[in-house]
Amino acid sequence: MPDATAAAYRLGPDDQVRVTVFNDPRLTGDFRVSDAGSIALPLVGAVQAAGRTTGEVERAIEQEMKSKSLFRDPSVAVQVTGYRPIFVLGMAERPGQFPYQPGMTTLTAVAVAGGFNYRAIRDYVSVTRIGPEGRPVEYRAGREALVQPGDVVTIFERRF
């Protein structure tokens, strides 16, 4: 599994963000990144967000506001208020969809799903993640591997 880096979080479909436009509360609000990867802002229109950091989205919104002559010098802040969920499958007590928390490991993902059941392999899991080409890639991961939003964690069954 690729090592997690300290790189800034990149937004994806179904993330929730709060956009704050200073000195204009009418344009401030909570938005969801659409399946197409954009957020729709009043007066500004759709701004591409998927694959960008919050800082990059801030600059894109400011640029759109300038180009549409809404503000001469806009100041925008974007923060993530809700991440895409993770999914836990296989030999967990309560497999399913769960909210992602920053810093979550495969072990904490299993814990959120009720822990390993009595038939589970406890040393490693499978993590399926959307790769850079947009295709799912499956990795074998240890208990301390970091999970990312949208990951699918599969717990394997022990053979007796």
Side-chain angles (χ1 to χ4, degrees):
M1 197 162 146
D3 289 334
T5 62
Y9 177 70
R10 298 212 171 261
L11 296 170
D14 216 25
D15 280 336
Q16 301 282 335
V17 294
R18 172 174 288 282
V19 177
T20 305
V21 179
F22 296 105
N23 293 328
D24 197 338
R26 296 170 300 165
L27 297 177
T28 296
D30 293 325
F31 302 92
R32 185 180 77 80
V33 179
S34 71
D35 292 340
S38 62
I39 53 175
L41 298 167
L43 300 175
V44 176
V47 176
Q48 185 63 29
R52 291 180 167 177
T53 65
T54 54
E56 291 169 344
V57 174
E58 289 169 0
R59 289 187 291 282
I61 294 170
E62 289 170 353
Q63 189 60 39
E64 282 294 317
M65 289 178 164
K66 285 180 189 175
S67 71
K68 294 185 177 183
S69 300
L70 295 173
F71 292 96
R72 265 189 303 221
D73 190 23
S75 182
V76 176
V78 176
Q79 74 180 81
V80 179
T81 57
Y83 295 93
R84 301 183 298 279
I86 60 153
F87 305 88
V88 180
L89 305 174
M91 298 292 112
E93 288 295 330
R94 291 184 312 277
Q97 174 181 317
F98 301 95
Y100 170 80
Q101 294 295 318
M104 186 175 255
T105 65
T106 56
L107 188 60
T108 55
V110 171
V112 170
F116 295 106
N117 74 15
Y118 72 97
R119 298 174 71 178
I121 293 175
R122 297 167 188 254
D123 297 334
Y124 62 91
V125 296
S126 163
V127 175
T128 304
R129 177 176 296 160
I130 302 299
E133 306 84 33
R135 300 180 116 144
V137 180
E138 188 172 2
Y139 303 98
R140 180 175 167 161
R143 296 163 62 110
E144 64 286 333
L146 291 175
V147 176
Q148 295 179 357
D151 281 356
V152 178
V153 177
T154 304
I155 304 166
F156 297 109
E157 182 177 3
R158 228 177 345 142
R159 302 217 193 281
F160 292 100

